[in-house]
Amino acid sequence: MFCAVTLRTAALSKSFRSAFLAQSTTAHIRSCSARVPRRTRALERTCAMSTGRRVCKVPKGTRDFLPEQMAIRQRVFALVTSVFERHGAVTIETPVFELKETLLGQYGEESKLIYDIADQGGELLSLRYDLTVPFARFLATHGIVSLKRYQLGRVYRRDQPAIARGRFREFYQCDFDIAGQHPPMVPDAEVLRVLIEVLDEFAALSPYHRQRLGSYQVKLSHRGLLDAILQLCGVPKELLRPICSSIDKLDKEPWDVVRKEMIDVKGLTAPCADRIGQFVTRAGKPRELLRELQADHSLCCGKFGAEEALADLERLFSYLEAMGNVLERCTLNLALARGLDYYTGLIFEAVLTDGSTPLGSIGAGGRYDRLVEDFAGKPVPCVGTSIGIERIFSLMEEAERELAQATGRVIRASKTQVLVVGIGKVDLVQRLKLCDELWRAHLAAECLYAERPKMARQLQYALERGIPVLAILGEDELAAGVVGLKRLSTQEQIQMQRGPPLVQAIRDWLASESNQEAGQESVDRDGNCRPEPVASVRDPTATTPGAN
Amino acid sequence: MFCAVTLRTAALSKSFRSAFLAQSTTAHIRSCSARVPRRTRALERTCAMSTGRRVCKVPKGTRDFLPEQMAIRQRVFALVTSVFERHGAVTIETPVFELKETLLGQYGEESKLIYDIADQGGELLSLRYDLTVPFARFLATHGIVSLKRYQLGRVYRRDQPAIARGRFREFYQCDFDIAGQHPPMVPDAEVLRVLIEVLDEFAALSPYHRQRLGSYQVKLSHRGLLDAILQLCGVPKELLRPICSSIDKLDKEPWDVVRKEMIDVKGLTAPCADRIGQFVTRAGKPRELLRELQADHSLCCGKFGAEEALADLERLFSYLEAMGNVLERCTLNLALARGLDYYTGLIFEAVLTDGSTPLGSIGAGGRYDRLVEDFAGKPVPCVGTSIGIERIFSLMEEAERELAQATGRVIRASKTQVLVVGIGKVDLVQRLKLCDELWRAHLAAECLYAERPKMARQLQYALERGIPVLAILGEDELAAGVVGLKRLSTQEQIQMQRGPPLVQAIRDWLASESNQEAGQESVDRDGNCRPEPVASVRDPTATTPGAN
């Protein structure tokens, strides 16, 4: 149905052409990509001046998100969701607050950070602190014993905010969990694969993304192994958890400091602490360290349960190798302990690294087999991961802004595809009629609301927002039943008959625009936006080592 | 790259074939679509039994959403969002709680329904009651004077819940608002067009959807007109708002009851009330009633401002006619008053009707030109609509379940495209390797976690979830480097070489599956799921009356 019509510029008014030439696209883009910080400064000024009026600030530790930021956040959420769904996960939703008693005693010392709802009569309520306890409550409430679910939602912590370090009182968690009785370590392996797949997809978006998100490491350990080691070292049973929480500090403190805490605060003997030190400073390639530990007869003496934990890890490694050798991204790290008490098996943490230096966690999780039992009375074993989505969002925002600057593109907040532009005496009603035709064809179209806006203003509107196509109506076009089309990226200009030819021509241009943006994202068969294959590792046809 | 291979069933084990024949697809589907209510009953049993354990219920007036419900909700949100974005709207996000003083005094009597956060030191906070006041605060905070934005978010009202009537304490609002100084009534017209477009798209999804959502009416009025009428009838200025709130009851009470309240409670004289009665019982085709009112010299005498309001409406009607004649969906209704005080111009409400009987509101809004000024100090005129999304969701849920039953399809909660099925001695690791190949090709794939699950179980898993394609691995296939593919909707069966031919064959099947589902939804050029054109009115090429 594509109907080629010769290029005709005569119908475009003089003012349009001169306005177009006068505009510097790049300058516009620059000013747009700098808009967010400028608005933030405007906020400070506005608020400072607003004495005598209502205060107009957000609560401490919370944020508004501006349109440009939301466009990036939605892209982050869409990518994470597409990976979760690729693994067959379904989603659920739970209320933003739970009964106070649902959360009570679930978070140890951190319970003091829970927001309570004021007692205005009726039930005592608290804002959710994470998505894991509500998930356990959800399974129990509905009597569900098997579920692979993901959930994106905001959680609340009355913590001291540290905006620069990305610590907020309201933030998103993105969780993927597998609940149910399954053969050992299979769901655990898929959870790890999902975490790694998410991180790899972000890194594959562009070189700017790769630079920020491409270098990471997944540290693995096992609570059963840690307990066995501690018992072998002579830690009494009642000190297992306290010593675990000391070990958990090893990612921030050197061994000497942790050792001192074990002896001075937790009451271990120095030889006992030193025996622990010989283990927990060990980290390395999973298969190698596993073999060493399996060969350690004092550890694997049948007394501490180390054999089961090591057998678990061996199974896990086989599955990880089968799933495209994601084991290569992992290290076995005996210093990993994880703060939360509820973990019962595998524990892991994904850490961004700058080559060698760790730069902070961007994902973590583990197996928690007894949390649901607390509500349901019967055990529903679970394993899951939480993606460090706010951290990823900050890095994505940086990368997207750099990418936009490098490519001279605008970070688009709106999805408008066509700006309907009037020239000469064409009035608003005529432009609205054309918009209506485009909306009916499911094209995203806008026009300026003024009766007869200046050409320069219309063009500026399109450039600032990165709207790719102008549909231009002059008196001649109206009389002839045609529309002038201009594609801003290539400066191509054609004229099309209104109706199907017009719609088809716009669709063709839009399709070729999105092909040109390839490497950024593409549309999958099932309609989800998916990052485009970038490297050969993403080639569906490439057989990776050990894949077949 | 589609490589046709002859049908080969020999590799499929006997158990598979017999299992397949034994299964009744329809029975499975029935049992699946009935799953939600069954789970709800299970909940009651579980909770009743759970004495001595943690209670496992949601707070009063709130809900969990199960995977099948979430699939429908996401479809509702995607459709609404796609219409909003088609009109160039961007989205923002604001915190779920605001400073208490931001909400204070904004909602009149309803303020008692606001949830406060407990005072745990620091700022006093409240959960948001709607998205409109936070939007006004947002504009002021960031010094934004012009924005077309949509926002989907949960709001909180400590109301007496009425689950059967769809009144909850936590529920979603979907708002579309246009802020900024614009020529009169143009944004107002677009807001109305957006509301109507959303409702029409839902109705167009299937005959089941049309039956529930296709019959509605948008009632229009204008605060300025109402004020003029009341003044003409002799209502003193200080009684304008109280009398307005009496008129607002006309959709529930007959005129006699409202008249009595005006006289007995609000203190109007009987002749004054009767004069009002002659106006507010008037409703009809917008152009006709407008002409009558314009011809009313006592009303349009230059004293009450009726002329400006009527001129506004006349402009609005022209724009609505230009935008595909959405005016046909509207009535001018002088009984419409809208409860909230902050409206200053156009007001409207979309009401589902059963032919003639009104069945309740599914969308409403209006112009509020002074709300932002309260925060910003300078006026930012706004007009917007809120979609009654929870109501639409209930009706969608009914329609989707009926549609699923009629077409013998499952309501799919997961997006899995391929189930990797093992037969004979093929183990889990082999199936995981094939899953990995499919994941890398961005296909959504799963396999059962058991080492060698029974064929019947694997098949049942696929049927219950509506997974369209089986990728079958037997020992013969493994040895030959091929995979058996089975398409469950058509029972087609082929064998493909692993790698690109396999991936391409699956993609071709999936594409033709989604073509077969046309009339339900399709994927647009820009990757959004959009409802498929159903009737000729949606044909992009069809020129509607007055469209050109």
Side-chain angles (χ1 to χ4, degrees), chain A residues 43 46 53-60 62-67 70 74 85-88 90-97 99 101-102 104 106 114-118 120 123 125 128 137-138 140-142 148 154 156 158 170 172 178 182-183 186 190 193 201 319 322-324 374-377 413-417 428 432-433 436 439-446 449 498 500 507 511 523-527 530-531 537-538 540-541 544 546-548, chain B residues 43 46 53-60 62-67 70 74 85-88 90-97 101-102 104 106 114-118 120 123 125 128 137-138 140-142 148 154 156 158 170 172 178 182-183 186 190 193 201 319 322-324 374-377 413-417 428 432-433 436 439-446 449 498 500 507 511 523-527 530-531 537-538 540-541 544 546-548:
Chain A
L43 146 67
T46 312
R53 291 193 300 275
R54 274 174 192 279
V55 284
C56 57
K57 66 181 278 300
V58 293
K60 185 176 171 185
T62 69
R63 291 165 290 176
D64 284 332
F65 291 102
L66 292 161
M70 283 303 289
Q74 288 184 320
E85 290 180 344
R86 192 181 302 155
H87 286 261
V90 297
T91 192
I92 63 162
E93 207 165 76
T94 60
V96 96
F97 44 62
L99 295 181
E101 61 181 296
T102 299
L104 219 63
Q106 300 280 22
I114 293 174
Y115 274 103
D116 290 328
I117 305 285
Q120 296 163 290
E123 300 162 330
L125 306 171
R128 64 187 176 196
R137 196 271 308 145
F138 173 93
T141 302
H142 302 279
K148 192 193 277 187
R154 296 201 268 195
Y156 298 87
R158 229 168 41 78
E170 175 184 57
Y172 270 87
I178 302 173
H182 295 295
V186 195
E190 187 163 24
R193 158 80 194 221
E201 295 242 328
Y319 297 133
M323 290 182 179
D374 203 14
F375 294 103
S414 87
K415 304 233 166 99
T416 306
Q417 297 164 318
L428 177 60
L432 288 177
K433 283 182 181 176
D436 174 53
W439 290 331
R440 279 168 197 272
H442 285 174
L443 291 166
E446 279 185 277
Y449 288 150
R498 283 172 88 146
R507 290 215 167 119
V523 175
D524 212 327
R525 297 245 161 202
D526 57 357
R530 301 282 167 83
V537 65
R538 302 186 157 275
T541 69
T544 47
N548 202 0
Chain B
L43 145 68
T46 312
R53 292 193 299 273
R54 273 174 193 278
V55 284
C56 58
K57 64 180 279 299
V58 294
K60 185 176 172 185
T62 69
R63 291 165 290 176
D64 284 332
F65 291 102
L66 292 161
M70 284 303 290
Q74 288 185 320
E85 290 180 344
R86 193 181 302 155
H87 286 262
V90 297
T91 193
I92 63 162
E93 206 164 76
T94 60
V96 97
F97 45 62
E101 60 181 296
T102 298
L104 218 63
Q106 301 279 24
I114 292 174
Y115 274 103
D116 291 328
I117 305 285
Q120 294 163 292
E123 300 160 329
L125 307 171
R128 64 187 176 194
R137 196 272 308 145
F138 173 93
T141 303
H142 302 280
K148 191 192 279 187
R154 296 201 268 195
Y156 298 86
R158 228 168 42 77
E170 175 183 56
Y172 270 87
I178 302 174
H182 295 297
V186 193
E190 186 162 24
R193 158 80 194 220
E201 296 243 326
Y319 296 134
M323 290 183 181
D374 203 14
F375 295 103
S414 87
K415 303 233 167 98
T416 306
Q417 298 163 317
L428 177 60
L432 288 176
K433 283 182 181 174
D436 174 54
W439 292 330
R440 280 169 196 271
H442 283 174
L443 291 167
E446 279 186 276
Y449 288 150
R498 283 174 87 146
R507 290 214 167 121
V523 174
D524 211 328
R525 297 247 162 203
D526 57 356
R530 302 281 167 85
V537 64
R538 301 187 158 274
T541 69
T544 48
N548 201 359

Side-chain angles (χ1 to χ4, degrees), chain A residues 183-186 188-189 220-226 228 286-287 289-291 293-295 299-300 304-321 332 345-346:
Chain A
M185 307 314 283
V186 195
D188 310 61
L220 304 178
S221 190
H222 192 295
R223 270 283 165 90
L225 176 62
L226 200 61
R287 287 278 186 198
L289 185 49
L290 177 71
R291 268 194 298 273
L293 293 167
Q294 281 171 329
L299 180 64
C300 301
F304 312 118
E307 298 80 359
E308 290 80 356
L310 293 172
D312 268 359
L313 288 174
E314 184 156 25
R315 271 189 212 102
L316 177 74
F317 297 167
S318 307
Y319 297 133
L320 290 178
E321 282 160 350
L332 185 53
L346 173 72

Side-chain angles (χ1 to χ4, degrees), chain A residues 139 145 178-182 367-370 372 379-383:
Chain A
L139 292 173
V145 295
I178 302 173
Q181 289 285 359
H182 295 295
R367 174 163 285 281
Y368 50 102
D369 282 350
R370 288 189 287 266
V372 182
V380 180
C382 294
V383 60

Side-chain angles (χ1 to χ4, degrees), chain B residues 359-370:
Chain B
L359 294 174
S361 170
I362 46 165
R367 174 163 284 283
Y368 50 102
D369 282 350
R370 289 190 286 268

